[in-house]
Amino acid sequence: MRWLLVSVALAAAGVCHAGWPEPRPIDAGRLAAAGLRVVEAEQATLVTDAPPSAETDRLPGLIALAAPRWAERFGVARSAAKKWRLRVYLIEDEARFRALGLWPDQSPDFQHGLSLGYEVWVRQQESDYYRRHLLLHEATHSFMATRLGSCGPGWYMEAMAELCGTHQYNEATGELRIASPPETREAAPDWGRVRLVRDAVASGRLLSVDAVRKIDNRRLLATEEYAWVWALASFLDGHPAYRERFARLPGWVNEPDFDSRFDRLYQRDRRRLEQEWRLYAATLCYGHDLPREAIDFRQGEPLAADGSAAATIAADRGWQSSGVAVEAGEPVQITAEGRYVIAHEPDGAPWPCEPGGVTLAYHAGRPLGELLATVDAGPGAFVDAAPVGRSAAYTAPASGTLYLRVNDAANALAENEGSLSAALRRGGGPAGRGARQSRVDR
Ligand SMILES: [Zn+2]
């Protein structure tokens, strides 16, 4: 998946990429004698030593299906995208390609795939999904390099290729959707990006947005680094608050200050973006529901000295503002009631739930549906939740707005129904212990 070192260096020096050479000439007779086949499709030519199969032979056809999607995303005229053609080498035995002069002269030691202008090389894979992913990944580099003139900085280049590599292909209808994350693990054998991010987070390596943007593809990247750039792209592309701005980035790939423009673009809500990004990375799963997990940011008002407040918390949404600002170390008594649906049986029967949660199922080590609390202070605010249940004194570790939600997976909110009511009042526990962690006294 590495690109050519030289072309990345040229991009940095501002040299235009429009002058990519045509794919090298091929001699069908010589290829056949060496055991290679040529499969022609509308917008791509496949050269391969893989035996004929329906899956292999439809690979070049995917390019014509993806081209209008790339055109839309990258602001390229449909007509120009329709004329675009790609050469694809699918490789089982590298020696055959080398002997025929079909190997890239520069950067000959790629791991899975390589893109050089109008040619891409993809090594054979066990899984149909992952083979298509790699082809779409490399082809995205090619489309950007030849149609936009650049792929932008390394992290963005790989992020877009990883994003457009995720796809849903319907064999029966021949429909292809790109930039569409797999809904289940079974739908994407060998892809594994979700697992890599989850494992990294579990080992205490949750990368900030800036850390992901420092991933530099001028060296060979580890698969985990591809997973991180994919996750960031999929977050920015799927989150209702950030996706419109993300869609503007392709217009800047030739700008040397691309990253400063990115910073300015997200300056006004960068703190929230970072908080939501960390929450996303920490709860990443197949079928992650970004629109429902999107935080309803609303700054809270302090409670009066003897005051109280009430909040309604929907069961089918992520973190929601309570409307109340709390002070570090000063407990707030939260009492919740209500009956809502937290899941369904396979036969459709609903699972009723109250703020204490159900004991039949757990999520993240706590009862499913249990009321949780946090305060919007610090980058990891929404990752560090405290259980509340029916009633508890919540002591915030830092001053900020109190947020509430029910405990559920980020891919399981859509099946929930109803809401709970939370009553908040000042006091309820021993104040002023100055705990670093949020504290709950039942
Ligand atoms: Zn790549």
Side-chain angles (χ1 to χ4, degrees):
M1 284 182 264
R2 189 163 52 130
W3 220 37
L4 182 63
L5 284 169
V6 174
S7 58
V8 176
L10 286 175
V15 175
C16 181
H17 279 246
W20 286 102
E22 286 295 306
R24 59 203 74 200
I26 45 173
D27 176 336
R30 263 190 84 206
L31 262 60
L36 270 66
R37 303 185 296 125
V38 177
V39 183
E40 293 286 358
E42 202 184 335
Q43 290 192 238
T45 302
L46 172 71
V47 176
T48 186
D49 58 342
S53 76
E55 180 59 33
T56 300
D57 292 19
R58 67 173 152 243
L59 286 174
L62 297 181
I63 301 303
L65 299 176
R69 303 283 83 82
W70 286 318
E72 214 171 338
R73 180 169 284 276
F74 297 120
V76 169
R78 275 259 187 151
S79 52
K82 210 170 163 55
K83 277 185 267 173
W84 191 74
R85 274 198 77 82
L86 189 67
R87 171 76 55 78
V88 178
Y89 304 102
L90 175 67
I91 304 139
E92 290 199 344
D93 178 5
E94 161 179 341
R96 287 176 164 168
F97 290 82
R98 285 183 180 272
L100 289 163
L102 300 178
W103 203 251
D105 305 325
Q106 295 149 312
S107 194
D109 304 318
F110 57 90
Q111 196 184 357
H112 294 296
L114 180 76
S115 153
L116 283 177
Y118 295 100
E119 294 176 292
V120 299
W121 288 260
V122 174
R123 292 193 193 273
Q124 182 61 293
Q125 303 297 321
E126 292 281 318
S127 132
D128 291 345
Y129 180 87
Y130 200 45
R131 189 184 308 109
R132 291 192 301 259
H133 173 86
L134 291 173
L135 170 61
L136 292 168
H137 175 117
E138 301 304 340
T140 301
H141 287 329
S142 287
F143 190 89
M144 292 180 77
T146 59
R147 279 290 167 266
L148 304 185
S150 171
C151 300
W155 75 268
Y156 180 71
M157 169 176 175
E158 297 305 336
M160 294 314 286
E162 279 292 295
L163 180 68
C164 294
T166 56
H167 65 278
Q168 298 194 22
Y169 178 63
N170 185 324
E171 235 178 85
T173 64
E175 268 179 289
L176 177 75
R177 287 172 58 197
I178 62 168
S180 185
E183 294 283 316
T184 63
R185 188 165 59 84
E186 293 69 29
D190 294 350
W191 176 68
R193 290 353 183 206
V194 167
R195 179 64 184 272
L196 286 167
V197 169
R198 291 299 297 263
D199 285 353
V201 172
S203 320
R205 297 193 314 278
L206 200 167
L207 299 193
S208 66
V209 170
D210 280 345
V212 176
R213 289 163 71 217
K214 286 200 180 82
I215 291 175
D216 181 351
N217 69 341
R218 281 175 294 181
R219 56 179 176 76
L220 265 178
L221 298 184
T223 313
E224 185 187 308
E225 293 174 295
Y226 286 109
W228 278 112
V229 293
W230 164 74
L232 181 58
S234 121
F235 169 73
L236 294 172
D237 193 54
H239 194 295
Y242 312 119
R243 64 186 169 208
E244 277 167 35
R245 282 174 279 174
F246 187 66
R248 292 169 60 185
L249 298 181
W252 297 339
V253 290
N254 290 296
E255 304 297 338
D257 63 344
F258 181 98
D259 274 307
S260 316
R261 286 169 184 252
F262 178 98
D263 287 332
R264 287 198 293 277
L265 191 63
Y266 289 110
Q267 195 168 20
R268 66 178 153 87
D269 47 7
R270 188 60 184 271
R271 183 170 159 272
R272 291 174 173 185
L273 186 152
E274 186 69 33
Q275 289 176 329
E276 292 204 81
W277 156 249
R278 288 178 190 231
L279 173 64
Y280 176 75
T283 59
L284 190 57
C285 53
Y286 288 93
H288 190 292
D289 192 339
L290 266 170
R292 285 179 193 276
E293 277 286 326
I295 298 174
D296 154 38
F297 283 106
R298 188 163 46 91
Q299 199 159 348
E301 300 286 331
L303 283 173
D306 58 346
S308 62
T312 301
I313 301 302
D316 65 350
R317 293 298 304 256
W319 289 107
Q320 298 152 62
S321 171
S322 68
V324 171
V326 294
E327 292 292 324
E330 290 186 11
V332 176
Q333 185 68 38
I334 307 172
T335 308
E337 58 178 24
R339 212 168 153 84
Y340 40 94
V341 172
I342 198 66
H344 288 86
E345 294 286 351
D347 69 2
W351 279 22
C353 180
E354 292 187 10
V358 297
T359 47
L360 292 167
Y362 275 63
H363 168 68
R366 301 291 313 176
L368 186 68
E370 182 183 34
L371 180 63
L372 306 176
T374 195
V375 65
D376 66 344
F382 295 95
V383 178
D384 303 322
V388 170
R390 288 169 195 276
S391 181
Y394 172 76
T395 306
S399 300
T401 297
L402 176 71
Y403 281 76
L404 301 168
R405 70 172 295 164
V406 299
N407 181 36
D408 204 350
N411 59 3
L413 293 172
E415 63 176 333
N416 300 351
E417 293 162 29
S419 60
L420 63 85
S421 305
L424 315 169
R425 67 172 173 79
R426 197 181 276 271
R433 268 197 244 148
R436 286 169 60 97
Q437 296 288 313
S438 35
R439 199 177 66 231
V440 171
D441 299 303
R442 284 165 192 280

